[in-house]
Amino acid sequence: MEFVMKQALGGATKDMGKMLGGDEEKDPDAAKKEEERQEALRQEEEERKAKYAKMEAEREAMRQGIRDKYGIKKKEEREAEAQAAMEANAEGSLTRPKKAIPPGCGDEPEEEDESILDTVIKYLPGPLQDMFKK
C-alpha cells in the first residue's frame, strides 16, 4: 500500500507519507530534543515573567510618586488604618463593636399617640371608615 501511495502522489516527501498514515521513523534523539525544547520553553516563560515583574515595579514606583505628590494613601493603607481605629475603640470592650447608625434612622420622633385602631381604620374602604369614625 505504501508503494501505491508513493506512486499515486508522484514521489511525495516522507512527511507527507506520515500525514497520510504511513510508518513513522523513530528519531533516536527525540527524547533529548523534547527535553531541550521543554527547557527552552521554561526559560522563555521565566524571562517573560521577569520582564513583566520589572515593568510592574516601574509602574508601582510611578504610582507611588503620584500618591506622594498628591497625598493619596493606598487602599490597603486606608483599610489598615480603619481596622486599627476599630480595634482601638473596642480595646476595653467585652462586646462586639457597635455598628454605625445610618443617617435618617432614629432621627424622627416616634408617633405614640396614634392607636392601632386608627391604623386599621386607615386601610378600610371609605364607607366603613365613616362608620367607625362616628
Side-chain angles (χ1 to χ4, degrees), residues 59-112:
R59 288 187 192 116
E60 185 58 35
M62 186 178 291
R63 289 184 199 119
Q64 189 59 46
I66 293 169
R67 283 189 211 106
D68 294 341
K69 182 178 178 181
Y70 295 106
I72 301 170
K73 293 183 180 179
K74 288 177 87 171
K75 187 176 182 179
E76 294 88 24
E77 291 174 2
R78 283 184 277 154
E79 290 174 354
E81 287 178 1
Q83 184 67 24
M86 287 293 286
E87 290 174 2
N89 290 341
E91 204 168 279
S93 176
L94 296 176
T95 59
R96 65 176 176 80
K98 293 181 180 178
K99 294 182 178 178
I101 298 174
C105 293
D107 294 343
E108 305 165 5
E110 294 184 26
E111 297 179 12
E112 300 259 344

Side-chain angles (χ1 to χ4, degrees), residues 8-63:
L9 295 174
T13 63
K14 292 180 182 179
D15 293 335
M16 191 71 161
K18 288 180 190 177
M19 290 181 358
L20 295 175
D23 295 331
E24 289 189 30
E25 295 180 16
K26 300 291 180 184
D27 188 8
D29 297 331
K32 184 178 177 182
K33 287 180 182 178
E34 180 63 22
E35 189 177 310
E36 289 174 358
R37 188 180 72 78
Q38 291 293 332
E39 182 60 35
L41 288 174
R42 278 192 291 273
Q43 186 176 2
E44 287 176 6
E45 182 70 16
E46 289 171 7
E47 289 171 1
R48 186 188 65 78
K49 285 181 181 181
K51 174 186 168 186
Y52 285 107
K54 180 183 173 188
M55 289 171 52
E56 185 59 29
E58 290 171 0
R59 288 187 192 116
E60 185 58 35
M62 186 178 291
R63 289 184 199 119

